[in-house]
Amino acid sequence: MTKTNAGNFFEDFRIGQVIRHATPRTVTVGEVALYGALYGGRCAVQSSDAFAKAVGWPRAPVDDLLVFHVVFGKTVPDVSLNAVANLGYAGCRFLAPVYPGDTLSTVSEVIGLKENSNGKTGVVYVRSTGYDQDGREVLDYVRWVMVRKRDEAAVVADQLIPELPAALAPDQLGSAVPFLDRSAWDDELSGSRHRFADYRVGERIDHVDGVTVEEAEHMLATRLYQNTAKVHFNQWTEGQGRFGRRLIYGGHVISLARALSFNGLANAFHVAAINGGRHVAPLFAGSTVFAWSEVLDTAELPGRDDVGALRLRTVATKDRPTADFPLKIDGGDWDPGVILDLDYWVLMPR
Amino acid sequence: MTKTNAGNFFEDFRIGQVIRHATPRTVTVGEVALYGALYGGRCAVQSSDAFAKAVGWPRAPVDDLLVFHVVFGKTVPDVSLNAVANLGYAGCRFLAPVYPGDTLSTVSEVIGLKENSNGKTGVVYVRSTGYDQDGREVLDYVRWVMVRKRDEAAVVADQLIPELPAALAPDQLGSAVPFLDRSAWDDELSGSRHRFADYRVGERIDHVDGVTVEEAEHMLATRLYQNTAKVHFNQWTEGQGRFGRRLIYGGHVISLARALSFNGLANAFHVAAINGGRHVAPLFAGSTVFAWSEVLDTAELPGRDDVGALRLRTVATKDRPTADFPLKIDGGDWDPGVILDLDYWVLMPR
Amino acid sequence: MTKTNAGNFFEDFRIGQVIRHATPRTVTVGEVALYGALYGGRCAVQSSDAFAKAVGWPRAPVDDLLVFHVVFGKTVPDVSLNAVANLGYAGCRFLAPVYPGDTLSTVSEVIGLKENSNGKTGVVYVRSTGYDQDGREVLDYVRWVMVRKRDEAAVVADQLIPELPAALAPDQLGSAVPFLDRSAWDDELSGSRHRFADYRVGERIDHVDGVTVEEAEHMLATRLYQNTAKVHFNQWTEGQGRFGRRLIYGGHVISLARALSFNGLANAFHVAAINGGRHVAPLFAGSTVFAWSEVLDTAELPGRDDVGALRLRTVATKDRPTADFPLKIDGGDWDPGVILDLDYWVLMPR
């Protein structure tokens, strides 16, 4: 009987199982400042209490992706410690604003299980929900991950492939954002005169800038999220593994791409939902990340004339500038520089 | 007459001398967040205001070792700037909780002096006490350090080898912890169902995980503590020195081992005392740190049925996993991978 | 019509043009803690609420240079994104204290324009002013920078070389500092018994210590300031450029030198003004920074008997200790180790 956490193996999960994860975490201005220094985001709403108050928040809210990473990190020791691969996520909705001082905790429900034909692994589908200290839902999302079996002979009783959430509909967006006084939105301070109505479906934007990633940076970030996945931290073990390197947390790439996208999407002040995403290739320290975005859709929000939604595809690359919008080669294989393909909704003032 | 601090040499110290150290330091949620990102600790009490309040604190207290490092850092310019070696510490007690916003300062008293027979160095013993802004003692400990003489001919009048504190007794533990409502202690949120009664003397726990250390990380940490020891920061000088490398602050290793020990000791929410410790070998950036622990003793605390104390030995290694609990070879020399051997008391809910 | 910011080119500027920069930024204890960990400053006033209150502040003010960097960072996307060289700055005055929670924003006015004879570039002079959330001026300074033309054929109408501010006069110093109770200034806690009257014009101080800079550190710092200059972050591009390396933000060197100068100037609690400065040579990660200072002048402040001002030259070097006060060789070329020559006023208690 060991007291260390060996994580759950595929046969340990049951449909309908509910896991309350450790560790609840109070997110303070300390986390906010460090998150800022790790990515360099410049959205006025999250950077400035004064700007946020002028348009309708009580104070600057915590960056959406910082909330996501903290909520996500808690699930790792229970869900993905024995994961072979993180296969995808879907249906991620940001439901309520989080402010410095709020305490986040996470509960997951197993909504699907499917053993692989090799008998060695299976796919676990979980819906994870983040709560604040008052029990209010701030975030939920589905992810699915391939997990090893402890014992190949173990029988897995009930299996089910759940219906995965499609892209979120516009009427599911925006509950984390107060009604904004858009006349008080100052385009000079926010960094762009381009608002919701200025973007067109099919428009593509090269975010131009690149940022090189260091080992110390991604490890600080991943620990900030209390994400314990071993591959990010242990060079001794990883040096003998598949890549010979520490693998950078996929969420770090998402946050880098989001910060880069300010150059072209400065008024996209809120990630309202993540429809899905794929980590196409791994990222290692020393590489330089670039990003471009395409507007997949635009939508008004029912009952709101203050903000509109853009559905974006943001593609990140490593060691490859994105002026030519790299994605796939001849419509087939991924361009070898692509590392992330993310489909999500952002809000912009109208 | 220089205005720079040349530090004290052995002959500058006097038995009974009291040194009020610079610089008082307010520890905020900013320091707390950065400390978290540097080590990745997951104790619920220090991570969550909500968890801490539920069991009896007014809010999440500052991590004990962060308090230790800040109190310790202040002593470096006066005590160990001319040190050849940090020989040991003992009798370290955590006396009162520290909360974000508290200001820490340190006073040391010289309690022992012993010149070495070579006439070039001597051992200085100091008792250092950390205070908060109201003058309340939050921490005290003894350390002894070998310090160079400025002038080999200098005569050192009064010498004394002090009686070093033995391991702290259980009745000296726990004053930094309010009486806890252990029925409100949520084992799912804290990360383990194993409480005080589940640990046995002689039990050994491999903490499994390893973490690689980068130069930027240990320098950020050591500056966070305002610890000015030159060997940690100056590659130009150290590159020409004994190791050819910047040496990592020993306290960084202690904090890494403490964070790793969460995996197996998740409910050990408080370091109540450090009985003694030895930095067996130096650590340099690029190495991966592992740790294991042994339960040396268990003790109830007089008058308290909320918590119990475990006396632990935690051993850290570099570039050497610890599944076989490495310590000494044939009971003699240290295993070449061992870098830290720490003897301390932690508290756990009963 | 691109939505990304291409920055302004020389012909885009007009004399008298006013630019309100994005992004307003709330500076919290989070930024303060990270700034501390990046540089290791030990001034008691900025480190301790208790110390600051004892002598006359309502709480510990934000470090002057952190304010400078945040105010400066905002100007980069509008003023120097297409800069060839940052030529100088002058007349920098710290006008009001900044406390954690204050929101900083920046407005610049173009005060000079001078096309270079090659027709490819020109010099832009701006006066930038930092404001807090109540519109109070906290900082202003002039800088001039050589900016590329987009179109060599573009005609630049009005040109003007402005009169640059000379060194600030003593009566322009100190408005950011409340009247201090110098009897409450505790020299043991502040780290030095040397006050204003102890320094003499011509006195030179070697600050002794050296600190090696890592890529992760300077990038964290520069993002903390939301400074977006590309040369600091993008190894992919810079690797093909003039230096083959990411260039470290000049302000990072200033903050490193300021922190090193504590050893010899511990009571210089406030940078009151920067008269001028020159980044003599670039700094790259892996180098070790040293510093020395000379007292250029001393001055009483009209109507104040609590503090006095020292005008300092602080010189920073890379990979070159400063015991011999390196500056120029035979009074001509710069010593090859020198990277910074800074002329500024600090305040000290009398």
Side-chain angles (χ1 to χ4, degrees):
Chain A
M1 185 207 65
T2 179
K3 291 190 171 71
T4 53
N5 174 29
N8 287 307
F9 291 85
F10 181 67
E11 64 265 39
D12 298 328
F13 293 98
R14 295 286 174 273
I15 301 286
Q17 179 182 359
V18 172
I19 305 172
R20 295 174 65 240
H21 304 287
T23 299
R25 171 74 169 281
T26 302
V27 177
T28 72
V29 291
E31 277 82 14
V32 169
L34 187 50
Y35 187 83
L38 285 163
Y39 303 106
R42 287 181 285 147
C43 272
V45 167
Q46 286 79 22
S47 295
S48 167
D49 284 339
F51 189 97
K53 279 182 196 169
V55 292
W57 277 269
R59 64 183 293 192
V62 174
D63 191 281
D64 308 298
L65 293 178
L66 173 53
V67 173
F68 176 84
H69 297 318
V70 169
V71 168
F72 180 99
K74 299 182 195 321
T75 70
V76 170
D78 298 314
V79 172
S80 51
L81 212 61
N82 299 303
V84 179
N86 199 14
L87 297 175
Y89 33 91
C92 174
R93 300 177 302 161
F94 292 84
L95 298 164
V98 174
Y99 299 103
D102 285 350
T103 298
L104 299 177
S105 57
T106 309
V107 176
S108 295
E109 180 180 356
V110 180
I111 60 168
L113 288 172
K114 181 68 183 76
E115 189 170 1
N116 287 321
S117 55
N118 62 14
K120 296 180 180 175
T121 57
V123 179
V124 180
Y125 300 80
V126 295
R127 173 174 291 282
S128 298
T129 306
Y131 295 92
D132 72 11
Q133 66 282 355
D134 299 320
R136 189 172 54 158
E137 296 184 11
V138 298
L139 174 69
D140 77 356
Y141 67 94
V142 171
R143 78 160 163 147
W144 55 107
V145 57
M146 192 187 301
V147 176
R148 274 189 292 273
K149 292 177 74 177
R150 182 189 292 105
D151 172 9
E152 291 190 28
V155 175
V156 179
D158 296 311
Q159 299 197 40
L160 173 70
I161 299 179
E163 194 168 349
L164 290 173
L168 278 297
D171 64 1
Q172 296 175 287
L173 308 177
S175 64
V177 175
F179 195 88
L180 300 188
D181 177 2
R182 62 190 163 111
S183 71
W185 187 278
D186 185 321
D187 289 340
E188 288 181 323
L189 294 183
S190 73
S192 174
R193 68 181 190 281
H194 301 290
R195 297 195 183 190
F196 172 66
D198 298 316
Y199 290 84
R200 295 287 172 264
V201 173
E203 181 175 353
R204 297 194 293 185
I205 301 166
D206 174 27
H207 302 305
V208 179
D209 305 310
V211 59
T212 306
V213 181
E214 302 294 322
E215 299 281 13
E217 292 170 345
H218 78 82
M219 294 200 298
L220 283 170
T222 309
R223 282 187 296 246
L224 180 68
Y225 314 138
Q226 296 179 311
N227 178 328
T228 61
K230 298 164 191 279
V231 293
H232 309 315
F233 299 110
N234 185 332
Q235 183 57 40
W236 195 87
T237 300
E238 297 307 313
Q240 305 165 35
R242 177 175 164 206
F243 298 114
R245 303 285 306 277
R246 280 163 278 176
L247 185 65
I248 294 177
Y249 165 50
H252 195 65
V253 178
I254 296 176
S255 284
L256 288 168
R258 166 76 175 149
L260 289 169
S261 76
F262 182 87
N263 196 359
L265 292 162
N267 280 327
F269 66 87
H270 173 55
V271 175
I274 300 175
N275 298 310
R278 178 156 177 191
H279 295 292
V280 174
L283 177 68
F284 305 102
S287 282
T288 301
V289 175
F290 297 85
W292 65 273
S293 297
E294 179 176 356
V295 180
L296 299 179
D297 200 0
T298 67
E300 300 191 358
L301 268 57
R304 294 188 73 149
D305 64 0
D306 56 335
V307 296
L310 302 183
R311 184 174 171 188
L312 300 174
R313 156 181 261 175
T314 291
V315 175
T317 64
K318 61 180 176 188
D319 298 329
R320 189 201 189 297
T322 49
D324 61 344
F325 311 112
L327 187 64
K328 297 196 174 181
I329 297 172
D330 303 327
D333 292 334
W334 292 97
D335 181 287
V338 171
I339 58 175
L340 172 73
D341 182 18
L342 190 70
D343 175 346
Y344 61 112
W345 285 105
V346 295
L347 299 194
M348 275 202 184
R350 292 173 67 173
Chain B
M1 185 206 66
T2 179
K3 291 190 172 72
T4 53
N5 174 28
N8 288 306
F9 290 85
F10 181 67
E11 64 265 40
D12 299 327
F13 293 97
R14 294 287 175 272
I15 300 285
Q17 179 182 358
V18 172
I19 306 171
R20 294 174 66 240
H21 304 288
T23 299
R25 170 74 168 279
T26 303
V27 177
T28 72
V29 291
E31 277 83 13
V32 168
L34 187 50
Y35 186 84
L38 285 163
Y39 302 106
R42 287 181 285 147
C43 273
V45 167
Q46 286 80 21
S47 296
S48 167
D49 284 339
F51 188 97
K53 280 182 195 170
V55 293
W57 277 268
R59 65 182 292 193
V62 174
D63 191 281
D64 308 299
L65 293 179
L66 173 52
V67 173
F68 177 84
H69 297 319
V70 169
V71 168
F72 180 99
K74 299 180 195 323
T75 69
V76 169
D78 299 314
V79 173
S80 51
L81 211 62
N82 299 303
V84 179
N86 199 14
L87 297 175
Y89 31 91
C92 174
R93 300 178 301 161
F94 292 84
L95 297 165
V98 174
Y99 298 104
D102 285 349
T103 298
L104 300 177
S105 58
T106 309
V107 175
S108 295
E109 180 180 358
V110 180
I111 61 169
L113 287 172
K114 179 69 183 74
E115 190 170 0
N116 286 321
S117 56
N118 62 15
K120 296 179 179 175
T121 58
V123 179
V124 179
Y125 300 79
V126 294
R127 172 172 293 281
S128 298
T129 306
Y131 296 91
D132 71 12
Q133 67 282 356
D134 300 320
R136 189 172 54 158
E137 296 184 11
V138 298
L139 173 69
D140 76 357
Y141 66 95
V142 171
R143 78 160 163 147
W144 55 107
V145 57
M146 192 187 302
V147 176
R148 274 190 291 274
K149 291 177 74 177
R150 182 189 292 105
D151 172 9
E152 290 189 29
V155 175
V156 180
D158 296 311
Q159 298 197 39
L160 173 71
I161 298 178
E163 193 167 349
L164 291 172
L168 277 298
D171 63 2
Q172 296 174 286
L173 309 177
S175 63
V177 175
F179 194 88
L180 300 188
D181 177 2
R182 61 189 163 111
S183 71
W185 187 279
D186 185 321
D187 289 340
E188 288 181 323
L189 294 183
S190 73
S192 173
R193 68 180 190 281
H194 301 290
R195 297 194 182 190
F196 171 66
D198 297 316
Y199 290 83
R200 295 286 172 264
V201 174
E203 181 175 352
R204 297 194 293 185
I205 301 167
D206 174 27
H207 301 306
V208 179
D209 304 311
V211 59
T212 306
V213 181
E214 302 294 323
E215 300 280 13
E217 293 170 344
H218 77 83
M219 293 199 299
L220 282 171
T222 309
R223 282 187 295 244
L224 181 68
Y225 315 139
Q226 297 179 311
N227 178 328
T228 61
K230 298 163 190 280
V231 293
H232 309 314
F233 298 110
N234 185 331
Q235 182 58 38
W236 195 87
T237 300
E238 296 308 313
Q240 304 166 37
R242 177 175 164 205
F243 298 114
R245 303 285 305 277
R246 280 163 277 176
L247 185 65
I248 294 178
Y249 165 49
H252 195 64
V253 178
I254 295 176
S255 284
L256 288 168
R258 166 77 175 148
L260 289 169
S261 76
F262 183 87
N263 196 359
L265 292 162
N267 280 327
F269 67 87
H270 173 55
V271 175
I274 300 175
N275 298 311
R278 179 158 177 188
H279 295 293
V280 174
L283 178 68
F284 304 102
S287 283
T288 301
V289 174
F290 297 84
W292 65 272
S293 296
E294 179 176 356
V295 180
L296 300 178
D297 200 0
T298 68
E300 300 189 358
L301 267 57
R304 295 188 74 150
D305 64 1
D306 57 335
V307 295
L310 301 183
R311 184 175 171 187
L312 300 173
R313 156 181 261 175
T314 291
V315 175
T317 64
K318 62 179 176 188
D319 299 328
R320 189 202 189 295
T322 48
D324 61 344
F325 310 112
L327 186 63
K328 297 196 174 181
I329 297 172
D330 303 328
D333 292 335
W334 292 97
D335 180 289
V338 171
I339 57 175
L340 172 72
D341 182 18
L342 191 70
D343 175 346
Y344 60 113
W345 286 103
V346 295
L347 299 193
M348 275 203 186
R350 292 174 67 173
Chain C
M1 185 208 66
T2 180
K3 292 191 171 72
T4 52
N5 174 28
N8 288 306
F9 290 85
F10 181 66
E11 63 266 39
D12 299 327
F13 293 98
R14 294 287 173 272
I15 301 287
Q17 180 182 359
V18 172
I19 306 171
R20 295 173 64 240
H21 304 287
T23 300
R25 170 74 169 280
T26 303
V27 177
T28 71
V29 291
E31 277 82 16
V32 168
L34 187 50
Y35 187 84
L38 285 163
Y39 303 106
R42 287 181 285 147
C43 273
V45 167
Q46 286 79 22
S47 296
S48 168
D49 284 339
F51 189 97
K53 279 182 195 169
V55 292
W57 278 269
R59 64 183 293 193
V62 174
D63 190 281
D64 309 299
L65 292 178
L66 172 53
V67 173
F68 177 84
H69 297 320
V70 169
V71 168
F72 180 100
K74 299 181 195 321
T75 69
V76 169
D78 298 313
V79 173
S80 51
L81 212 61
N82 299 303
V84 179
N86 199 14
L87 297 174
Y89 32 90
C92 174
R93 300 177 301 161
F94 293 85
L95 298 165
V98 174
Y99 298 103
D102 284 350
T103 299
L104 299 176
S105 58
T106 309
V107 176
S108 295
E109 180 180 358
V110 179
I111 60 169
L113 288 172
K114 180 69 183 75
E115 189 170 0
N116 287 322
S117 54
N118 62 15
K120 296 180 180 175
T121 57
V123 179
V124 181
Y125 300 80
V126 294
R127 171 173 294 282
S128 298
T129 307
Y131 295 91
D132 71 12
Q133 66 282 356
D134 299 320
R136 189 171 53 159
E137 297 184 11
V138 298
L139 173 68
D140 77 357
Y141 67 95
V142 172
R143 79 160 162 147
W144 55 106
V145 58
M146 192 186 301
V147 176
R148 274 189 292 274
K149 291 177 74 176
R150 182 190 292 106
D151 172 10
E152 291 190 27
V155 175
V156 179
D158 296 311
Q159 299 197 39
L160 174 70
I161 299 178
E163 194 168 347
L164 290 173
L168 278 298
D171 64 2
Q172 296 174 286
L173 308 177
S175 63
V177 174
F179 195 87
L180 300 188
D181 177 2
R182 61 189 164 111
S183 71
W185 188 280
D186 185 321
D187 289 339
E188 288 181 323
L189 294 183
S190 73
S192 173
R193 68 181 189 281
H194 301 290
R195 298 196 182 189
F196 172 66
D198 298 315
Y199 291 83
R200 294 287 172 265
V201 174
E203 180 175 353
R204 297 194 293 186
I205 300 167
D206 174 26
H207 301 305
V208 179
D209 305 311
V211 59
T212 306
V213 180
E214 302 294 323
E215 300 280 14
E217 293 170 346
H218 77 82
M219 293 200 298
L220 283 170
T222 310
R223 281 188 296 245
L224 180 68
Y225 315 139
Q226 297 179 310
N227 178 329
T228 61
K230 298 163 191 280
V231 293
H232 309 314
F233 297 111
N234 185 331
Q235 182 58 39
W236 195 88
T237 300
E238 297 308 313
Q240 305 165 37
R242 178 175 164 205
F243 298 114
R245 303 285 306 277
R246 280 163 278 176
L247 185 64
I248 294 177
Y249 165 49
H252 195 64
V253 178
I254 296 176
S255 283
L256 288 168
R258 166 75 174 149
L260 289 169
S261 76
F262 183 88
N263 196 359
L265 292 162
N267 279 328
F269 66 88
H270 173 55
V271 175
I274 300 175
N275 297 311
R278 179 158 176 189
H279 294 292
V280 174
L283 178 68
F284 305 102
S287 282
T288 301
V289 174
F290 298 84
W292 66 273
S293 297
E294 178 176 356
V295 180
L296 300 178
D297 199 0
T298 68
E300 300 191 358
L301 267 56
R304 295 188 73 149
D305 64 1
D306 56 335
V307 295
L310 301 182
R311 184 175 172 187
L312 300 174
R313 156 181 261 175
T314 290
V315 175
T317 64
K318 61 180 176 188
D319 299 328
R320 190 201 188 296
T322 48
D324 61 345
F325 311 111
L327 186 63
K328 297 197 174 180
I329 297 172
D330 302 329
D333 292 336
W334 292 97
D335 180 289
V338 171
I339 58 175
L340 172 73
D341 182 18
L342 190 71
D343 175 346
Y344 61 113
W345 284 104
V346 295
L347 299 193
M348 275 202 185
R350 292 174 67 173

